[in-house]
Amino acid sequence: MQTNDLERVAKGIRRRDLRAVFEAGAGHIGGEMSAIDILTALYFRVLNVMPDDPGNPGRDRFVLSKGHTACALYVTLAKRGFIPEEEISTFLKPHSRLNGHPNCQKVPGVETNTGPLGHGLPVAVGMAKAAKLGGASWRTYVMTGDGEMQEGSNWEAIMAAAQFGLDNLTLIIDHNRFQQGAALADTNNLAPLRPKLEAFGWEVTEINGNDMSEIVPALEHRGDRPHCVVAHTNKGHGISFMQDRVDWHHKVPNAEQYKTAMEELAEEME
């Protein structure tokens, strides 16, 4: 897909994600809205995946380490054909396989269970190392939150990736500047992230993570070292009253807010 098509798909995913969270009465909509553009670019342009054969050994792997934004992944997987689109209506309902965190035992296209922060990147490093050991050409991508990068396990994984020369690994940091309950700057501020990753031997690209014209080339970059994309995004992107508001980390819109948000997202699609 080209940039305009990707933007159109991302806007549709935002609307469906908003509806799913509203109907479920729970979710993590702020971080979902910040990540959807990147998820769209991955699944509709960058990743070599097969919805009709999700376990194909030659597929690229994607790990959503910030697993609390699972609803955005489910909607993206549904749009890409991994699961029925009508199944999104079961999000968080009893007996649904669409839980609050992704489960690889239940949902086609999910590569590993995530939720406890700081686990996804170490798993992704193991995946990329396995590809190297097996002489395979598939690539591994992993998305973390910026608050999640406060976890020490991530920095151990970053050291290991550089040591192993994992040029088949791309880390995407959703740098929306907010975590649960506070701004990153008021907790354990890791910014600026770029020099820290470079000090560990990684190649780093900084982008506007809500701009497809910057997202696509960054994700398609191929180098000779592990690659980190520091994606500067907006929490609640696309919805005026949610954007850059920490309380929308896991707040659910009421009926009036839902109507306003859907109208704003509809205007974006015109």
Side-chain angles (χ1 to χ4, degrees), residues 49-50 95 104 127 130 198 221 223 230 237 259:
V49 290
M50 306 83 174
H95 309 297
C104 66
M127 290 175 172
E198 289 177 336
H221 173 78
V230 178
H237 183 79
K259 181 175 180 291

Side-chain angles (χ1 to χ4, degrees), residues 16 23 39 45 67 82 105-106 109 115 120 143 152 156-157 175 189-190 236-237 252:
R16 188 63 189 89
E23 291 177 347
L39 290 173
R45 169 75 182 241
F82 283 89
Q105 302 296 321
K106 297 181 178 181
M143 179 189 285
E156 293 179 26
H175 193 10
N189 194 9
L190 293 171
H237 183 79
V252 177

Side-chain angles (χ1 to χ4, degrees), residues 12-260:
I13 291 173
R14 277 196 171 85
R15 284 173 58 85
R16 188 63 189 89
D17 181 274
L18 171 65
R19 178 184 155 198
V21 170
F22 174 71
E23 291 177 347
H28 290 81
I29 198 164
E32 288 163 8
M33 293 295 151
S34 66
I36 282 171
D37 294 308
I38 294 165
L39 290 173
T40 302
L42 282 167
Y43 278 93
F44 290 87
R45 169 75 182 241
V46 177
L47 293 176
N48 177 31
V49 290
M50 306 83 174
D52 56 346
D53 185 17
N56 189 295
R59 72 193 183 281
D60 289 336
R61 273 68 164 173
F62 171 70
V63 175
L64 181 67
S65 190
K66 45 178 282 181
H68 54 282
T69 58
C71 189
L73 178 61
Y74 298 149
V75 176
T76 305
L77 290 172
K79 293 286 186 184
R80 189 66 174 81
F82 283 89
I83 59 176
E85 289 197 50
E86 57 268 24
E87 189 175 354
I88 299 302
S89 296
T90 73
F91 176 59
L92 296 183
K93 288 185 168 55
H95 309 297
S96 173
R97 59 180 177 170
L98 305 186
N99 300 325
H101 294 87
N103 187 328
C104 66
Q105 302 296 321
K106 297 181 178 181
V107 185
V110 173
E111 295 291 346
T112 189
N113 295 18
T114 54
L117 299 179
H119 287 194
L121 178 55
V123 170
V125 168
M127 290 175 172
K129 179 62 172 174
K132 287 288 187 183
L133 290 171
S137 60
W138 50 267
R139 301 183 62 85
T140 300
Y141 299 80
V142 54
M143 179 189 285
T144 69
D146 49 4
E148 181 181 2
M149 293 304 294
Q150 295 163 352
E151 299 284 354
S153 53
N154 283 322
W155 297 96
E156 293 179 26
I158 286 165
M159 279 192 291
Q163 175 68 29
F164 296 148
L166 300 182
D167 57 359
N168 57 347
L169 175 66
T170 299
L171 163 65
I172 306 135
I173 301 176
D174 183 11
H175 193 10
N176 62 30
R177 308 178 310 285
F178 293 93
Q179 57 193 108
Q180 180 173 313
L184 190 71
D186 296 329
T187 53
N188 185 3
N189 194 9
L190 293 171
L193 287 158
R194 181 174 194 153
K196 295 175 177 64
L197 271 293
E198 289 177 336
F200 279 79
W202 283 53
E203 185 174 3
V204 183
T205 304
E206 290 194 78
I207 63 168
N208 177 344
N210 296 127
D211 184 340
M212 284 295 180
S213 66
E214 295 188 27
I215 294 170
V216 170
L219 295 179
E220 291 183 338
H221 173 78
R222 302 290 180 265
D224 58 2
R225 291 181 288 163
H227 183 217
C228 177
V229 177
V230 178
H232 295 271
T233 62
N234 299 304
K235 197 144 191 157
H237 183 79
I239 303 172
S240 60
F241 61 87
M242 291 187 190
Q243 187 159 309
D244 297 336
R245 293 284 304 274
V246 68
D247 51 327
W248 285 101
H249 179 80
H250 49 49
K251 188 176 176 181
V252 177
N254 60 33
E256 183 178 350
Q257 291 169 328
Y258 173 70
K259 181 175 180 291
T260 299

